[in-house]
Amino acid sequence: MNALGRLVARGRGQEHSIVSLVQALVLFESMLYAVVTPVLPHYADTLGASKPAIGVLVAAYPAGMVPGTVLGGWIATRFGVRRTTVVGLSMFAVSITVFGFASNIVALDALRFVQGAACGCLWSGGLTWVIAVAPRERRGEMLGTVIAAAIFGTILGPVMGTLAAAVGTEIVFSALGLVAVGLAAWTFRHPAPPQFDTDEGTPVRALTSSPRVLLGAWLILLEACTIGALGTLLPLRLSDLGASGIAIGATFVFASVVSTVIAPMIGRLTDRRGPGLPLCVGLVTATPLLLALPLPESVLALAVLSVITLGGPLTAYTIPAMAVITDSAERLGITLVLSSMLFNIAWAIGEMIGAPAAASISQATSDAVPLALLAAINLATLVSVIAIGLGPTADVTETKPIAVAADPDWPLTRPTP
């Protein structure tokens, strides 16, 4: 093999190693996000916490994501995404360990907020890292594998939470803290990626004035809002129809499994055909499914419809929306750190809005009303997607240079297409 061939092979090997690392990181983060759900009854019983107090505990994590994302973006632009990722893992290591020993609801709220901030740092670093190393023609596929890992983490989270409730939060959460330390050590074994320029004078103005970037952020917010709404309404409706806790949990596990399988395929489709096709398919199929969710009168029918809705169309526009944001940002000469921040903030805001808004509207009317509103918003968004005329990702060929090498051993610095 000649020198060029060895360099290419080394670069591909490094790409695979980094994607595997980030998959492990987001799987771990998603697991910590979902780990608290089975432990909530334990805290309600042992601490005498009311339902509103438990609601605050649940909301503390996404609330922490917003400032954590801003902090992560600031660290990434000044010290690099590898250090940003390690900061997030360090915050997780401390906060999840102490969380296992906390015996006060206010302390739990504060620690959960810190974990949300750690999530913002970890995603700001890890997601930007993957986008930076992914060849443009395979970016959707690589993002799909990362999202699939994150979805799989939401399956493992309740398992660990159930174990914590059974054997003790101190033991399980301390072990998770040690896992965070191990992941930080693994992260430091990888060479630092390119350092991103921060000299752009108008990145925020360019970001907020681009219809495609704003549409991509809106799609992420809409999906997070929809998932938050369904995550609140569907368990209650399944319970009203007579479903057991195991049946409700199995419904969401199956939905996560379907999403895990579909995500890489959506990524490859986005690479080949551009974001427009999967976006339109996702929005078109989500609309009637949302309208149909209040109709089933049996547990099995509602469970099957829930798995299809959560596992299919919503997954179909996550990755294309990310591709719209990153490709449009590159075209505008905006750093990948800033575009990753936008994704994280949009997701956090949508998650904070979805569940309480849907629950309040449903309580005042019925489940059909918030779901019909979401369906109508999906249709309006579809009109915007078509009006903007999203083309294939491969058509974006003119971008400004966005990075310079930060580490002489970094093998993946590629010329801008």
Side-chain angles (χ1 to χ4, degrees), residues 22-122:
V22 176
Q23 284 178 312
L25 296 178
V26 299
L27 185 152
F28 177 71
E29 182 280 319
S30 297
M31 184 173 65
L32 291 188
Y33 167 74
V35 74
V36 75
T37 302
V39 192
L40 293 177
H42 165 75
Y43 288 128
D45 293 339
T46 59
L47 303 180
S50 63
K51 284 186 177 180
I54 294 297
V56 171
L57 178 59
V58 173
Y61 192 100
M65 286 176 62
V66 176
T69 296
V70 175
L71 173 64
W74 181 85
I75 296 172
T77 55
R78 284 157 178 78
F79 305 104
V81 294
R82 183 177 65 172
R83 289 188 178 91
T84 308
T85 304
V86 172
V87 167
L89 289 168
S90 300
M91 293 170 66
F92 267 130
V94 174
S95 60
I96 193 64
T97 301
V98 179
F99 190 86
F101 292 87
S103 57
N104 179 283
I105 190 66
V106 176
L108 291 171
D109 292 339
L111 290 165
R112 197 64 176 158
F113 183 89
V114 173
Q115 291 166 33
C119 164
C121 288
L122 190 149

Side-chain angles (χ1 to χ4, degrees), residues 269-362:
L269 178 62
T270 301
D271 289 333
R272 291 196 304 266
R273 300 290 300 273
L277 177 61
L279 280 177
C280 290
V281 170
L283 291 167
V284 166
T285 55
T287 300
L289 288 170
L290 289 170
L291 291 172
L293 280 172
L295 302 179
E297 295 295 334
S298 71
V299 171
L300 179 60
L302 181 56
V304 171
L305 190 59
S306 299
V307 168
I308 295 171
T309 305
L310 288 166
L314 296 180
T315 305
Y317 59 77
T318 307
I319 297 158
M322 294 170 66
V324 170
I325 294 174
T326 55
D327 289 332
S328 299
E330 283 185 322
R331 174 180 288 178
L332 296 168
I334 298 169
T335 64
L336 294 178
V337 172
L338 196 57
S339 59
S340 297
M341 285 176 57
L342 182 63
F343 166 81
N344 292 331
I345 291 173
W347 184 273
I349 292 174
E351 197 169 355
M352 285 189 292
I353 293 173
S360 299
I361 295 172
S362 176

Side-chain angles (χ1 to χ4, degrees), residues 221-316:
L221 188 151
L222 176 59
E223 186 197 3
C225 187
T226 303
I227 289 176
L230 297 183
T232 302
L233 299 180
L234 290 180
L236 297 176
R237 179 157 176 77
L238 284 166
S239 179
D240 289 341
L241 293 175
S244 66
I246 294 176
I248 294 171
T251 299
F252 283 86
V253 167
F254 278 119
S256 297
V257 170
V258 172
S259 292
T260 302
V261 173
I262 287 178
M265 294 188 290
I266 296 297
R268 288 191 290 270
L269 178 62
T270 301
D271 289 333
R272 291 196 304 266
R273 300 290 300 273
L277 177 61
L279 280 177
C280 290
V281 170
L283 291 167
V284 166
T285 55
T287 300
L289 288 170
L290 289 170
L291 291 172
L293 280 172
L295 302 179
E297 295 295 334
S298 71
V299 171
L300 179 60
L302 181 56
V304 171
L305 190 59
S306 299
V307 168
I308 295 171
T309 305
L310 288 166
L314 296 180
T315 305

